Amino acid sequence: MSIENPLWGAPRIHGELLKLGFEVAQSSVAKYMVKRRKPPSQGWRTFLHNHAPDIAAMDLFVVPTIGFDLLYAYIIVRVDRRELVWISVTAHPTAEWIARQITEAFPWNEAPRYLIRDRDRIYGSVVTRRLRAMGIRDKPIAPASPWQNGFAERLIGSIRRECVDHVIVLGEAHLRRILKSYSAYYNNITTHRSLDKDAPVSRPVQRIGSIKSHATLGGLHHHYARA
């Protein structure tokens, strides 16, 4: 006979054995227990897999302008469909500004259950209070673990490779227009391997009509569709 439960410790197993009529010391139970190789609670990857529909992630990245000024772009992405739900630009990011972006990104009845972020000091008490008020659980990543915010990090990499690395940014308003156009292209056109080659906003399969090419982002990318 064996009692196996990865969440039980020696005291719990010892109690069960006593109730089954086995007179044994708790120290003996602890001695012969199988040593765990993994923590009893779910790991970060398991958490992401189990709760993906209820998770969003946010992050900031820097974009230089033609005048060598630095602008800050802020993104929020839904984990399950990789949808870019919010993107905005500012020259002076503050906790108050980020809190306002979160409020504008999610209607009160559509907020995610969890919001992943890094440990940047800009996410101060103003941001955490706003999250609590909206019923969102704050999920900061572990120190020095950017991979835990991998969905936002990969999206930022895509924005750089597919957009801002090929554009000379003139100013804040210009960058905002560029990123809004990229957001529409990314959500509605770009296919993802993790989504079975579908777009974040699902694209229907077109089988009838001639194929036309539509330029986006000034011809940097093209969208092919049947007319």
Side-chain angles (χ1 to χ4, degrees):
M1 182 205 73
S2 64
I3 296 177
E4 298 179 2
N5 190 312
L7 300 180
W8 286 6
R12 179 68 182 273
I13 295 175
H14 181 242
E16 292 294 324
L17 290 173
L18 292 177
K19 292 301 181 183
L20 294 172
F22 293 97
E23 297 294 335
V24 61
Q26 182 176 310
S27 57
S28 298
V29 174
K31 178 180 179 180
Y32 292 104
M33 281 182 62
V34 176
K35 303 301 180 183
R36 296 193 185 104
R37 296 184 179 181
K38 296 182 179 180
S41 59
Q42 61 181 346
W44 189 261
R45 289 187 176 88
T46 305
F47 163 74
L48 294 177
H49 181 267
N50 290 343
H51 301 282
D54 301 316
I55 300 175
M58 64 179 175
D59 208 350
L60 285 161
F61 64 99
V62 180
V63 180
T65 70
I66 191 172
F68 301 103
D69 296 320
L70 297 180
L71 298 175
Y72 295 84
Y74 170 76
I75 63 165
I76 301 177
V77 57
R78 285 273 194 177
V79 169
D80 59 337
R81 293 292 301 180
R82 314 298 196 270
E83 183 180 359
L84 177 55
V85 297
W86 191 257
I87 190 163
S88 192
V89 177
T90 184
H92 306 287
T94 63
E96 291 78 9
W97 181 82
I98 289 178
R100 187 168 63 252
Q101 302 308 306
I102 295 172
T103 303
E104 295 177 1
F106 300 111
W108 289 84
N109 60 342
E110 296 181 14
R113 185 176 179 186
Y114 306 94
L115 187 58
I116 299 173
R117 62 172 177 86
D118 60 30
R119 292 181 175 266
D120 194 304
R121 287 182 294 178
I122 197 171
Y123 305 118
S125 60
V126 175
V127 173
T128 55
R129 285 199 303 268
R130 182 63 54 86
L131 293 176
R132 285 197 299 270
M134 296 178 66
I136 301 173
R137 296 183 62 178
D138 182 29
K139 296 293 289 186
I141 64 175
S145 302
W147 63 269
Q148 292 186 347
N149 200 13
F151 293 94
E153 295 284 354
R154 281 195 293 271
L155 175 54
I156 289 172
S158 297
I159 294 172
R160 291 192 184 281
R161 290 189 303 272
E162 299 177 357
C163 184
V164 295
D165 284 354
H166 305 278
V167 177
I168 298 176
V169 177
L170 304 180
E172 184 175 333
H174 183 221
L175 178 59
R176 189 175 290 110
R177 288 196 300 271
I178 290 170
L179 293 180
K180 291 293 184 183
S181 296
Y182 179 82
S183 176
Y185 168 76
Y186 174 88
N187 283 333
N188 297 285
I189 306 303
T190 306
T191 57
H192 297 254
R193 287 180 297 176
S194 59
L195 300 177
D196 294 327
K197 305 298 179 66
D198 197 6
V201 178
S202 186
R203 283 173 57 183
V205 177
Q206 300 173 314
R207 303 186 187 279
I208 300 174
S210 59
I211 298 176
K212 301 292 183 180
S213 173
H214 304 277
T216 186
L217 289 166
L220 185 61
H221 297 284
H222 288 78
H223 169 213
Y224 297 92
R226 292 186 181 272

